[in-house]
Amino acid sequence: KKPHTTPTENETVLQEGEFIVSKTDLKSKITYGNKYFISISGWSEEELLGTPHNILRHPDMPQCAFKMLYHLIENGEEFFGFVKNLKKDGGYYWVFANISPSFDENGSMVGYYSVRRKPRDGFKEIIEPLYKTLKDIEEKEGMEASFAKVEKLLKSKNLTFNELMLGIQKGIINEL
């Protein structure tokens, strides 16, 4: 069960060079979290393990971002993207996430592996307005409409979702 956490405006900024690492099973239940992940989330290891990863989902995040995430990783591809995570105390932190499927020795997908790092300076000026627009569309027209908006944006830029996110993180794309 996801406990009710009321979001606050208290932002924690990731340390340069630190990496948040977690692993989940195929149902996105947390099976591993490194010390930095546990520390920054505000949850204890016992509280996190076995809990769905969406315990960290911030209400400012558009649902279509997670639809894109699962579309990619369930098809064996990587996902790159900016994610605003909710801490136990209601604070938040932004990450640049790289999420990959994990496979066993027989090549069967067994879960997901995520490495998150500090997003580059200036990313919020691009991502926050986009996510707000997508959230507004979701509230008025539903998640499929916001997903269609993302697909239209990608087509107009002739980019994949991952190319767009990596371009923003690398500072190559500075406006949408």
Side-chain angles (χ1 to χ4, degrees), residues 108-125:
S108 298
M109 197 180 302
V110 294
Y112 308 110
Y113 180 80
S114 178
V115 178
R116 283 135 10 237
R117 63 190 53 101
K118 181 181 179 182
R120 76 159 174 94
D121 290 342
F123 81 97
K124 282 189 207 175
E125 287 75 22

Side-chain angles (χ1 to χ4, degrees), residues 45-78:
E45 185 174 26
E46 295 73 29
E47 289 171 316
L48 285 171
L49 293 181
T51 302
H53 212 286
N54 70 5
I55 191 172
L56 304 170
R57 186 171 297 174
H58 195 284
D60 288 351
M61 284 296 299
Q63 291 177 332
C64 69
F66 298 102
K67 178 180 169 115
M68 182 64 73
L69 159 67
Y70 283 103
H71 170 75
L72 291 169
I73 62 177
E74 287 172 355
N75 286 297
E77 298 178 52
E78 290 182 279

